[in-house]
Amino acid sequence: MNIAGPPLNLHRAAGHPAPLIDPFARAITYLRVSVTDRCDFRCVYCMSEHMSFLPKADLLSLEELDRLCSAFVAKGVRKLRLTGGEPLVRRGMMTLFASLSRHLKSGALDELTLTTNGSQLAKYAAELKGHGVERVNVSLDTLDPDKFRAITRWGDLAQVMAGIDAAQAAGLKVKINAVALKGVNEDELAGIVAWAHGRGMDITIIEVMPLGDVGDDRLGQYLPLSMVRSRLAERFTLDDIDHQSGGPARYVRVKETGGRLGFITPMTHNFCESCNRVRITCTGTLYMCLGQEDAADLRAPLRASEGNDLLNAAIDEAITRKPKGHDFVIDRRQKRPALSRHMSVTGG
Ligand code: SAM
Ligand code: SF4
């Protein structure tokens, strides 16, 4: 069965283009786009304190991002997630959302969404909703203002809380993403789950991944979600549910709260067989797998001509290279990341 999207015959019956199919018969229906490598936070697991960012000229312009996303939509992508870096710190983002919303109106796209640290949500929540965004993922690892400052280095918890309030007031459905960090928020996770569910928000707990050199000891941050789950099970009844996103999360229903809780365990579980997604960086590099280095440059074909023939050919060729699975490993001797790029490059 194809769990990555509607069955192929349904796509055609509804007048949708046939989806991109990779060599392992997975339909590519979900595109995640990092629109900037910059951020107003410096989360300890994601960035080093002193990051050097890309020169602006290397970034795709908003028009180029629109063209690229639209090319994928024309090839059957049904869900688009903008991420970063922090997507809402890039100037002109509302113009891009406004423009991409035409694909929602035409029915070509099922969902336009974003992952954000929430710092700018108070400002943009209503506008996002106006552009057809229905759901947002907000990353939040602690409810303690001091810890929040320590984890994000630059962030202000009150500002993020105001953003979450604004999002809910605007009618956006909010899902919380929390990274589990050994010795930092492990005691707090049950409380965060209860808080999120109390506000009607789903929550996903993410195992820290070895991406990018953040100048810290990875093994110090790593907390296996198997341990998180058994601790949560001391307080809550966790019932496995069948909810499938085509992504790495596995879900349970928390009996006491009625809310949904996801676990993303990229290093200890294999979720690749249902993978329906590819990722593009803010410079137009297409990664066919979050856990592999192989990539395709889409910026050159995008800039080489006004028409999309070269771009389409480059996308088709890249999808033939989508690997069967990933290979995350923390090198325990070297304590080096398995992959040298930061999460802020591919957007998670
Ligand atoms: N700035 C936005 C945010 O924080 O939501 C979007 C980009 S951020 C890179 C996307 C997600 O990746 C966040 O939920 C963040 O917590 C997560 N993340 C970043 N680095 C990570 C790492 N090394 N391991 C696991 N998750 C990570
Ligand atoms: Fe910025 Fe998001 Fe990375 Fe934190 S996780 S530094 S908010 S991009």
Side-chain angles (χ1 to χ4, degrees):
M1 194 185 88
N2 167 32
I3 54 170
L8 306 190
N9 53 351
L10 277 189
H11 269 276
R12 297 212 182 88
H16 299 147
L20 287 163
I21 305 289
D22 80 359
F24 303 96
R26 296 169 298 193
I28 308 305
T29 54
Y30 181 12
L31 176 67
R32 300 167 72 109
V33 184
S34 175
V35 297
T36 176
D37 61 334
R38 288 164 201 254
C39 187
D40 52 346
F41 291 2
R42 290 289 179 280
C43 302
V44 290
Y45 46 78
C46 178
M47 294 193 181
S48 63
E49 187 148 24
H50 306 285
M51 294 285 290
S52 38
F53 293 110
L54 295 162
K56 291 235 164 85
D58 286 358
L59 298 195
L60 298 182
S61 67
L62 294 176
E63 292 74 16
E64 287 169 335
L65 283 167
D66 185 288
R67 225 179 109 199
L68 195 48
C69 291
S70 301
F72 274 92
V73 171
K75 285 183 174 293
V77 159
R78 307 286 310 163
K79 175 171 175 181
L80 208 50
R81 176 179 300 279
L82 303 192
T83 172
E86 174 46 42
L88 296 180
V89 300
R90 178 151 184 189
R91 205 175 309 155
M93 275 310 285
M94 291 305 113
T95 318
L96 182 60
F97 274 101
S99 162
L100 291 173
S101 70
R102 71 187 184 281
H103 299 304
L104 292 171
K105 287 179 197 129
S106 76
L109 197 60
D110 294 329
E111 181 164 25
L112 175 60
T113 184
L114 71 156
T115 301
T116 173
N117 64 26
S119 71
Q120 309 301 312
L121 260 185
K123 193 162 154 195
Y124 292 123
E127 232 176 310
L128 287 167
K129 175 76 178 164
H131 297 319
V133 174
E134 297 292 345
R135 305 191 295 176
V136 290
N137 287 1
V138 179
S139 304
L140 183 68
D141 310 325
T142 176
L143 298 173
D144 176 303
D146 295 329
K147 247 188 232 178
F148 187 82
R149 172 57 61 106
I151 294 171
T152 62
R153 293 197 184 99
W154 296 2
D156 174 12
L157 180 63
Q159 199 177 332
V160 173
M161 288 298 179
I164 292 172
D165 291 343
Q168 290 194 311
L172 292 170
K173 208 158 166 29
V174 178
K175 193 191 85 175
I176 300 294
N177 282 340
V179 175
L181 297 164
K182 189 172 171 182
V184 180
N185 64 356
E186 55 180 304
D187 295 339
E188 227 196 313
L189 289 167
I192 300 175
V193 169
W195 166 79
H197 288 174
R199 292 190 54 149
M201 305 183 290
D202 288 343
I203 175 165
T204 297
I205 300 178
I206 306 173
E207 198 166 75
V208 77
M209 288 190 262
L211 293 181
D213 190 346
V214 291
D216 229 322
D217 178 352
R218 286 281 175 200
L219 295 172
Q221 296 177 353
Y222 180 63
L223 174 64
L225 288 202
S226 51
M227 284 176 63
V228 173
R229 188 175 166 145
S230 32
R231 283 190 64 180
L232 288 173
E234 290 168 12
R235 170 156 168 198
F236 298 121
T237 315
L238 309 178
D239 295 327
D240 280 315
I241 50 175
D242 222 12
H243 180 75
Q244 280 280 7
S245 63
R250 293 291 171 262
Y251 294 92
V252 297
R253 177 79 55 198
V254 178
K255 200 169 179 186
E256 290 76 5
T257 62
R260 195 159 62 195
L261 166 64
F263 295 98
I264 298 190
T265 53
M267 295 173 50
T268 47
H269 277 272
N270 199 326
F271 51 83
C272 304
E273 66 284 352
S274 61
C275 182
N276 61 354
R277 61 197 59 196
V278 290
R279 296 173 166 79
I280 295 179
T281 69
C282 55
T283 57
T285 302
L286 178 72
Y287 282 96
M288 287 72 84
C289 171
L290 181 61
Q292 302 276 0
E293 296 285 5
D294 190 31
D297 173 33
L298 299 182
R299 186 178 60 185
L302 190 64
R303 289 184 175 171
S305 69
E306 278 179 19
N308 279 357
D309 290 352
L310 292 173
L311 176 62
N312 284 330
I315 294 172
D316 292 343
E317 188 280 327
I319 297 303
T320 68
R321 284 190 275 136
K322 185 167 163 65
K324 191 168 183 193
H326 67 69
D327 191 20
F328 285 119
V329 175
I330 294 181
D331 183 328
R332 286 173 188 273
R333 264 178 308 114
Q334 305 287 334
K335 294 186 178 169
R336 306 305 296 168
L339 290 173
S340 57
R341 63 180 191 267
H342 287 94
M343 190 68 114
S344 52
V345 173
T346 38

